[in-house]
Amino acid sequence: MLTVLRRWSLLSGILDLPPVPRLLVLTQLAFNIGFYLVLPFLAGHLGGDLGLTGAVIGLVLGVRTFSQQGLFVLGGALADRFGPRPLVLTGCAIRIAGFVTLAFAGGLPTVLLGVVLTGVAAALFSPAVESALAAEGGRSEAAGGVPRTRLFAMFAVAGEIGAVTGPVLGTLLLYAGFRATCLAAAVVFTLILLMHARLLPESPPDRAVEPLGAGVRRVLSGRRFLLFAAAYSASLVAYNQLYLALPAELRRSGVEGALGWLFALVSVQVVAGQMPVTERARRLGPRTAMTAGFTLIAAAFGVAATGPALGLRGTAALIPAAGLVVLLTAGHMLVKPLAGDVAARLAGERHLGAHLGALATAGGVAVLVTSPVVGRLLEWRPVAAWALLAVLALAAAGAMWRVTRP
């Protein structure tokens, strides 16, 4: 009990941060509450209400992820050039438009427009916030303050508190229909926009005197960083399965109603364990921790494959589903906070927006390529889908062992 209380007490450290890092961490909390009102239920709406096939649903989710992650490098370069504030405000406005479009979408074209708008919005505000946090963390660590990996862990914890709050509220709002859920998310982002217009300070751009493409050119010239980004892209592919493969498996086994509870399990696991896991990962070092993280992710997909392999249905199917969630989340908890720090160091602490954006862009491309394939396999050969995902995670583990060597 005392251990649990100590872990939760670490969350109070967020309130003890300096003003700018505290605002950036709490911004992630607000973003995720609005975002997760809708995303966990999008695949069910597309398949159940609109009657789209698994391959088309995979394509929609892939387009959404690519329009977000795939454009992060551009959003990061813009943040380096103009500073985070204008990117955050513009991104919030575009996301409002995206959720309103999804609320009234009656077919594939308008669904695609809605998911692209929501994705482009995040491509603007997310790298702006993350690059600002990386810069603040670097300065704090150099001055003997809070380490950057710890700031990113707090960022993850705040995000997961939002991620558990969003699905719970979304589950309640779904009784009024998917449209009501989307409109509620639009209202949340309207409040976020107004709050940040008032509270987010102006900050000087990272490289105002350099051309906009300077950061992108620096990214493309860093061979070791590009290899790291390619390997790390498997992390986003894996995490995306919480929104693609997990709902499909729950539908197959007739326990679709458990989705919200499994998302709650993810969030409780991260909120309770992210800080101590990050401290342990720092002691292990990036090479060991990130290799172990991707190995856990591969094991998660192996466990998930037992459901369709054994033909489990009903309550019995929840055992491999819960195993998937726990192991996948544990691997992600090891990998994600270290990734931002490793990327910043490989970038030489310069053009952080462009480098962190490129890290996300690599993941977006990987998700766009793999999602339609995984979606089709989930319909035809579910075991093959999980096996493919496990192989990708194992390949990433091997690549991380080489790329993150001292």
Side-chain angles (χ1 to χ4, degrees):
M1 182 65 179
L2 290 175
T3 301
V4 174
L5 290 175
R6 280 197 297 270
R7 289 179 180 180
W8 275 90
S9 70
L10 291 171
L11 296 176
S12 66
I14 294 174
L15 301 179
D16 296 330
L17 293 173
V20 174
R22 182 173 65 241
L23 177 64
L24 295 171
V25 170
L26 293 178
T27 293
Q28 182 70 355
L29 169 66
F31 283 164
N32 277 9
I33 289 175
F35 182 63
Y36 284 99
L37 274 172
V38 174
L39 185 62
F41 312 103
L42 179 59
H45 168 67
L46 297 179
D49 298 334
L50 300 186
L52 302 181
T53 66
V56 174
I57 293 172
L59 175 63
V60 170
L61 295 180
V63 167
R64 189 213 67 80
T65 303
F66 179 76
S67 63
Q68 175 176 322
Q69 309 292 137
L71 297 179
F72 260 40
V73 65
L74 175 60
L78 289 171
D80 288 339
R81 180 67 177 81
F82 299 107
R85 178 182 166 88
L87 276 296
V88 171
L89 299 182
T90 303
C92 286
I94 294 175
R95 178 153 280 186
I96 293 166
F99 280 135
V100 171
T101 301
L102 280 176
F104 295 97
L108 182 60
T110 44
V111 165
L112 287 173
L113 175 61
V115 298
V116 167
L117 287 173
T118 60
V120 169
L124 294 178
F125 57 62
S126 288
V129 171
E130 290 180 13
S131 63
L133 187 68
E136 291 289 332
R139 286 190 284 268
S140 172
E141 193 167 327
V146 180
R148 180 161 48 198
T149 53
R150 190 174 180 85
L151 275 181
F152 273 112
M154 290 181 177
F155 192 74
V157 170
E160 287 302 328
I161 293 173
V164 70
T165 305
V168 170
L169 295 176
T171 299
L172 297 175
L173 285 168
L174 276 179
Y175 288 106
F178 186 75
R179 176 175 296 174
T181 304
C182 289
L183 293 177
V187 170
V188 170
F189 272 89
T190 300
L191 296 175
I192 294 172
L193 173 63
L194 296 175
M195 180 180 69
H196 283 75
R198 179 177 178 82
L199 298 178
L200 188 63
E202 294 281 359
S203 58
D206 181 27
R207 302 282 163 183
V209 297
E210 294 184 355
L212 182 60
V216 177
R217 287 194 295 272
R218 184 174 174 85
V219 166
L220 295 176
S221 66
R223 180 174 177 273
R224 191 174 179 187
F225 172 80
L226 291 176
L227 291 173
F228 174 75
Y232 182 70
S233 68
S235 173
L236 186 60
V237 171
Y239 207 72
N240 192 60
Q241 303 317 311
L242 293 176
Y243 314 113
L244 175 59
L246 178 60
E249 173 59 16
L250 295 179
R251 284 196 302 272
R252 182 202 65 79
S253 54
V255 287
E256 193 172 3
L259 181 61
W261 293 106
L262 290 173
F263 273 102
L265 176 60
V266 172
S267 296
V268 168
Q269 187 177 346
V270 173
V271 170
Q274 182 66 75
M275 301 300 292
V277 167
T278 299
E279 293 301 318
R280 179 64 176 170
R282 287 183 64 217
R283 289 194 292 270
L284 290 173
R287 191 183 198 195
T288 301
M290 298 190 80
T291 302
F294 278 109
T295 303
L296 279 174
I297 291 171
F301 294 137
V303 169
T306 62
L310 299 176
L312 299 180
R313 297 187 62 83
T315 305
L318 291 177
I319 297 174
L324 165 70
V325 165
V326 170
L327 291 172
L328 175 57
T329 304
H332 200 68
M333 288 163 63
L334 277 171
V335 167
K336 187 171 176 57
L338 294 179
D341 185 57
V342 171
R345 295 180 189 279
L346 290 175
E349 307 294 340
R350 298 182 61 205
H351 298 289
L352 295 181
H355 281 83
L356 291 172
L359 200 65
T361 293
V365 172
V367 169
L368 181 65
V369 171
T370 58
S371 290
V373 176
V374 172
R376 180 60 63 88
L377 286 176
L378 286 168
E379 288 186 318
W380 289 357
R381 306 281 184 183
V383 175
W386 295 116
L388 172 62
L389 292 166
V391 169
L392 290 175
L394 286 174
M400 280 298 172
W401 182 255
R402 298 192 59 176
V403 173
T404 56
R405 67 188 184 278

